[in-house]
Amino acid sequence: MATSRPAPPASGTPLRKDAERNRQRIIDAARAVFAEQGAHAPVEEIAKRAGVGMGTLYRRFPDRTELVEAVFLERAQRYLDAANESLRHEDAWQGFRSYLERLCAMQAEDRLVTDVLTLTLPTSPTLQELRKRLYATQNRLIRAAKRSGGLRPDFTPEDVVVLLVANSAIVRAVGDEVPETSPRFLALTLDALRTDRPSPLPSAPSSERLLRAMQRPAVKTRRRADSA
């Protein structure tokens, strides 16, 4: 007596699951590659990191901008959430301070922070709108901190980007080996921004560890061939 075969799964269901799984793998890979190489990293590297072919990548994301948008929308929302939470702080200066601390901490974990705030993506109105909301909330934090007398009056919203660019350089140079360098830098900067009552600094990195982290392999030079 022949055994009956199990009924095949409903048409399309496995493909939808596979498609969603591949989409998420591509987004995860893009997030990692963008963090390492920037938003203009080659899509071939993203496909390789995701373990999918280029055909699969282009089926999920026909336009490169769509992939950038998928990664950056998620990140921009995280930063907006941080700004909104800081805005609810009873002390305006502490709210502003906690916002910058969270941004710099995110930057230590995710190096896309500066790109999210500065990258031009004209074909993504959703990202542009989210970023406008982030800037507006950030500016409310700045104005409130100034009104409270905690933040120096000549601080501008552009200074946030400058601060993040500086912190990004520190994170890239020594962040993995000397993680306390970034919060110390921010604490020094915040004390330079406030009008009174400097706060205690985080612990300083040892000079030996900092020097070791900043050292890079020597550049190898080629000897010139002896003249005949």
Side-chain angles (χ1 to χ4, degrees), residues 21-38 41-52 57 61 67 71 112:
R21 186 160 49 246
N22 285 336
R23 182 179 186 278
Q24 192 56 52
R25 287 167 64 185
I26 292 168
I27 292 174
D28 292 342
R31 186 184 303 119
V33 173
F34 289 160
E36 295 168 5
Q37 304 178 29
V43 292
E44 292 80 5
E45 175 64 22
I46 295 170
K48 179 180 178 182
R49 192 80 62 94
V52 302
L57 186 146
F61 298 97
L67 180 55
V71 173
L112 293 177

Side-chain angles (χ1 to χ4, degrees), residues 9-199:
S11 176
T13 301
L15 290 178
R16 285 198 296 270
K17 290 181 179 179
D18 288 345
E20 179 56 33
R21 186 160 49 246
N22 285 336
R23 182 179 186 278
Q24 192 56 52
R25 287 167 64 185
I26 292 168
I27 292 174
D28 292 342
R31 186 184 303 119
V33 173
F34 289 160
E36 295 168 5
Q37 304 178 29
H40 300 286
V43 292
E44 292 80 5
E45 175 64 22
I46 295 170
K48 179 180 178 182
R49 192 80 62 94
V52 302
M54 291 300 297
T56 298
L57 186 146
Y58 284 126
R59 278 195 298 274
R60 303 282 75 81
F61 298 97
D63 188 320
R64 175 193 181 89
T65 304
E66 294 178 21
L67 180 55
V68 175
E69 182 183 54
V71 173
F72 279 57
L73 279 176
E74 178 189 24
R75 287 300 182 259
Q77 185 61 56
R78 284 185 64 197
Y79 310 148
L80 178 58
D81 291 344
N84 281 323
E85 288 177 19
S86 297
L87 197 59
R88 292 193 289 269
H89 204 290
E90 292 183 3
D91 184 305
W93 165 256
Q94 291 301 327
F96 173 72
R97 182 187 185 102
S98 69
Y99 170 66
L100 290 183
E101 287 174 341
R102 288 189 64 179
L103 276 189
C104 288
M106 290 180 189
Q107 198 170 39
E109 301 171 0
D110 177 358
R111 299 176 187 183
L112 293 177
V113 170
T114 309
D115 286 341
V116 169
L117 294 176
T118 61
L119 183 71
T120 300
L121 205 61
T123 57
S124 176
T126 306
L127 179 59
Q128 296 298 89
E129 177 60 29
L130 193 57
R131 194 154 54 186
K132 285 181 182 178
R133 290 169 57 195
L134 173 58
Y135 286 146
T137 307
Q138 176 180 278
N139 290 347
R140 288 176 63 191
L141 278 167
I142 292 171
R143 289 194 297 269
K146 287 182 178 180
R147 286 196 302 269
S148 73
L151 178 62
R152 56 189 300 164
D154 55 354
F155 184 87
T156 68
E158 291 74 22
D159 289 325
V160 174
V161 177
V162 173
L163 189 154
L164 289 174
V165 169
N167 188 61
S168 175
I170 292 173
V171 168
R172 291 180 185 276
V174 298
D176 292 338
E177 293 90 347
V178 197
E180 64 267 36
T181 306
S182 173
R184 183 176 174 86
F185 160 74
L186 179 59
L188 285 166
T189 303
L190 286 167
D191 274 358
L193 295 178
R194 67 178 301 164
T195 54
D196 62 353
R197 303 189 310 277
S199 58

